[in-house]
Amino acid sequence: FGNVGFTKGVHYWEVKLEKAEIGSVFIGVAEKPGSPSGSSQGSSYGFESQPRLNRWLGWGFVNFRATYTAGAERVYGAHCHAGDTVGVLLDCDSGRISYFFDGVLYGEHILNDLGCAFENVSPFGFNADGCGSGGAGQGAPSGVDGGRSGRYPSNGAVRPRALWPVIGLRHPGDRVTMSSKWMTSHGVDGITVLRNALAVDEVFCNYEGNRHALYRTKHVDTAESNAKLPKWFIEDSFFEYNRWKSDKWLRSSTRGSGPYKLSSYGLDVDLDTSPFACAAACAAIGLPTAFLPGDLVDVKRSAGRILELQEKALVLGTYQGRLFYRLISQKSEGGSLMEGGGRAWFWDESEAVEGGLHIIGNGRGLSVELPKLSRFKPVTGGLKIVYQGGAVVRSDLEIFDGSENIGKIPHGIVIPPDNIIERRLNSCGVVRYLVDYEPVGRGWISSRIRGGKEELIVETLPSSSNGDDPLSQLLYATPEDSATVWYKNYL
């Protein structure tokens, strides 16, 4: 179970399959057993006793192309293998669960919105039976178990339901990672919807009154007629006009938006296209130069894998400090751009490692150097190998079959600060250091063992430099610090 549950709003998160056999991983949501709203069934419309966690609970997707709930399976989605990423879209307000697939099939990078997996999964127990879903349900199975003893809106016993992200693993050695790529929105509550409806009615009534006045009077002062519109409406309109006039904001759909805009508020974003905001977002993922809106980028890495066929992306802008892009070209025949791959998404620091993203041409940032944040080049007294088995040196930031094992650094060796090139998180959240070690060469080592007791591999030694060292005055702690220096040179 995840450590955060949801009762309302729209939420999207991604799970990366590191090691998994077909049919051994369950990804979805569930209520916690034994909670006031929990039960042992796939849906929690009853008051059963607390179950043993000896089977998968809730509603989920199994990586052998099926959905699963309450012991029932249904063909859905695609086969997912180690290295693939599965996105989960939980829309509490409309009661739907959908999935997104980011993987490789026959050597081609496939991005696919798998569509609605479950509907009528509402946090408050209400069914939408008879109300229709405008096609957004796509014929998905109902989240209601269908039993006569269940909790339906007519029985008056409605309890809030908290749905928690869950992962189910069947075989020893199965391993997944909750990605750092996620989005969330509180949605719009019923009171706000009602207020908006009343506000629209007020505007229409004023407009209708003005229109009749024009027919009754041949000489109507236009300014006087417009003054009859509500004051809040004029103020909001002027605010939106200034926002549009600034040419700074761009509204875009994302992976969490879903294909049916009118059936859900989704996770559309208003992107900030200003150079300073984009430079700060680029600094946050360790890019050497700033990517600005309109720049074209060659993409050679995605979700922890090196792409066999590179892709082309268009930089859009930033949202919450993250740099968003949209794929515009793929050298494949999978049709991903038409099936969800053309929606906006954002890069992380594992994809921005050297060689992962390359701007086409000079770019709108004029190739002005972007200072690197101190967390990518920490000032330390060196790294000491403390693990008895030593530190394995690999050729790539990611740990997968394609990354070559180029040697090992023995226990007790201290790598001096000048030989520590870079520090980054890979796609699985592992801290990795790019180091130079003369007997082996240049490569990446991990900070700790993955799994088990998570034993340390390296220990960071304290820095011996004092405050008079000029290098200590050039540290950039935040993306804004780096962007400020870049912006001065850019202007």
Side-chain angles (χ1 to χ4, degrees):
F1 283 85
N3 62 356
V4 175
F6 308 107
T7 58
K8 71 180 304 292
V10 185
H11 315 278
Y12 177 86
W13 63 94
E14 293 188 339
V15 180
K16 179 180 173 62
L17 279 61
E18 293 187 53
K19 184 179 179 182
E21 298 180 19
I22 292 295
S24 65
V25 177
F26 172 94
I27 300 171
V29 298
E31 292 185 277
K32 284 193 174 180
S35 66
S37 61
S39 80
S40 62
Q41 301 300 318
S43 61
S44 52
Y45 289 85
F47 289 85
E48 290 82 6
S49 59
Q50 180 175 348
R52 295 190 307 169
L53 292 177
N54 57 358
R55 64 184 178 86
W56 292 332
L57 304 179
W59 303 264
F61 167 72
V62 184
N63 68 324
F64 63 8
R65 198 185 176 195
T67 58
Y68 177 94
T69 182
E73 296 179 354
R74 179 177 181 267
V75 175
Y76 168 88
H79 291 286
C80 300
H81 306 82
D84 293 341
T85 298
V86 177
V88 185
L89 177 61
L90 171 63
D91 189 337
C92 293
D93 298 332
S94 61
R96 284 188 289 272
I97 303 173
S98 306
Y99 289 89
F100 193 96
F101 173 68
D102 181 347
V104 170
L105 185 63
Y106 304 117
E108 294 186 0
H109 186 205
I110 303 298
L111 298 161
N112 195 356
D113 184 341
L114 301 180
C116 183
F118 299 99
E119 60 177 343
N120 295 338
V121 183
S122 169
F124 296 108
F126 288 100
N127 282 327
D129 295 343
C131 298
S133 60
Q138 299 176 300
S142 174
V144 183
D145 55 11
R148 291 293 180 182
S149 61
R151 178 182 69 198
Y152 291 94
S154 59
N155 65 10
V158 177
R159 303 186 310 277
R161 173 191 298 174
L163 298 175
W164 302 72
V166 291
I167 302 292
L169 304 176
R170 176 170 290 170
H171 298 134
D174 289 342
R175 186 167 65 235
V176 302
T177 295
M178 297 289 285
S179 170
S180 60
K181 294 187 176 185
W182 56 269
M183 294 183 67
T184 187
S185 168
H186 289 294
V188 180
D189 57 82
I191 295 177
T192 301
V193 172
L194 178 60
R195 286 174 177 169
N196 288 343
L198 293 175
V200 171
D201 181 70
E202 181 183 0
V203 174
F204 283 168
C205 288
N206 278 272
Y207 174 78
E208 187 69 10
N210 292 339
R211 190 170 66 87
H212 285 307
L214 287 174
Y215 283 115
R216 292 194 303 267
T217 307
K218 294 182 179 180
H219 304 286
V220 179
D221 189 334
T222 303
E224 182 182 351
S225 177
N226 290 338
K228 294 179 181 180
L229 291 173
K231 182 179 179 181
W232 63 264
F233 178 76
I234 298 175
E235 291 175 348
D236 286 356
S237 300
F238 185 65
F239 173 79
E240 291 296 334
Y241 167 74
N242 285 330
R243 183 182 173 93
W244 167 81
K245 188 178 178 181
S246 68
D247 199 25
K248 176 182 176 182
W249 301 95
L250 172 67
R251 177 161 295 181
S252 175
S253 60
T254 68
R255 288 189 183 181
S257 296
Y260 298 93
K261 294 184 178 299
L262 296 180
S263 66
S264 169
Y265 290 100
L267 290 170
D268 289 1
V269 293
D270 288 334
L271 300 173
D272 187 345
T273 63
S274 64
F276 181 86
C278 292
C282 292
I285 58 176
L287 286 172
T289 58
F291 293 178
L292 300 187
D295 284 340
L296 296 178
V297 178
D298 276 332
V299 181
K300 301 179 181 179
R301 283 179 177 265
S302 177
R305 59 162 56 91
I306 300 175
L307 300 177
E308 295 182 16
L309 301 173
Q310 70 183 42
E311 302 169 338
K312 184 182 295 184
L314 175 69
V315 179
L316 299 178
T318 70
Y319 176 73
Q320 294 182 341
R322 297 177 288 195
L323 186 66
F324 277 74
Y325 67 94
R326 184 176 67 246
L327 289 178
I328 59 174
S329 174
Q330 281 187 310
K331 295 181 180 179
S332 67
E333 300 177 358
S336 292
L337 299 185
M338 302 297 295
E339 299 174 355
R343 298 182 199 159
W345 201 228
F346 59 92
W347 288 303
D348 64 17
E349 63 181 74
S350 70
E351 296 164 322
V353 70
E354 184 178 0
L357 303 174
H358 177 70
I359 197 164
I360 300 175
N362 292 328
R364 301 190 177 190
L366 307 179
S367 300
V368 176
E369 183 180 356
L370 184 64
K372 186 163 288 189
L373 297 184
S374 56
R375 68 185 178 89
F376 293 108
K377 185 67 170 70
V379 177
T380 69
L383 296 175
K384 182 178 181 181
I385 310 301
V386 296
Y387 185 62
Q388 289 296 329
V392 175
V393 183
R394 289 185 175 271
S395 60
D396 196 82
L397 172 68
E398 305 294 340
I399 305 172
F400 55 87
D401 294 339
S403 62
E404 181 184 356
N405 183 342
I406 59 177
K408 182 179 288 188
I409 304 177
H411 170 263
I413 294 294
V414 175
I415 301 172
D418 292 342
N419 290 355
I420 304 173
I421 311 303
E422 193 174 24
R423 173 192 182 275
R424 277 185 187 267
L425 286 174
N426 69 7
S427 63
C428 298
V430 178
V431 177
R432 304 269 283 166
Y433 292 94
L434 179 62
V435 299
D436 279 331
Y437 180 60
E438 186 174 347
V440 174
R442 177 170 294 189
W444 293 88
I445 62 175
S446 297
S447 63
R448 61 178 62 240
I449 294 292
R450 190 79 195 282
K453 296 181 180 179
E454 300 278 336
E455 298 175 74
L456 285 176
I457 296 178
V458 300
E459 180 183 89
T460 303
L461 301 179
S463 175
S464 59
S465 63
N466 53 40
D468 297 332
D469 188 344
L471 290 177
S472 65
Q473 301 175 11
L474 298 177
L475 299 181
Y476 301 95
T478 68
E480 289 72 21
D481 293 340
S482 176
T484 298
V485 175
W486 174 89
Y487 193 65
K488 291 178 180 178
N489 296 328
Y490 172 74
L491 292 179

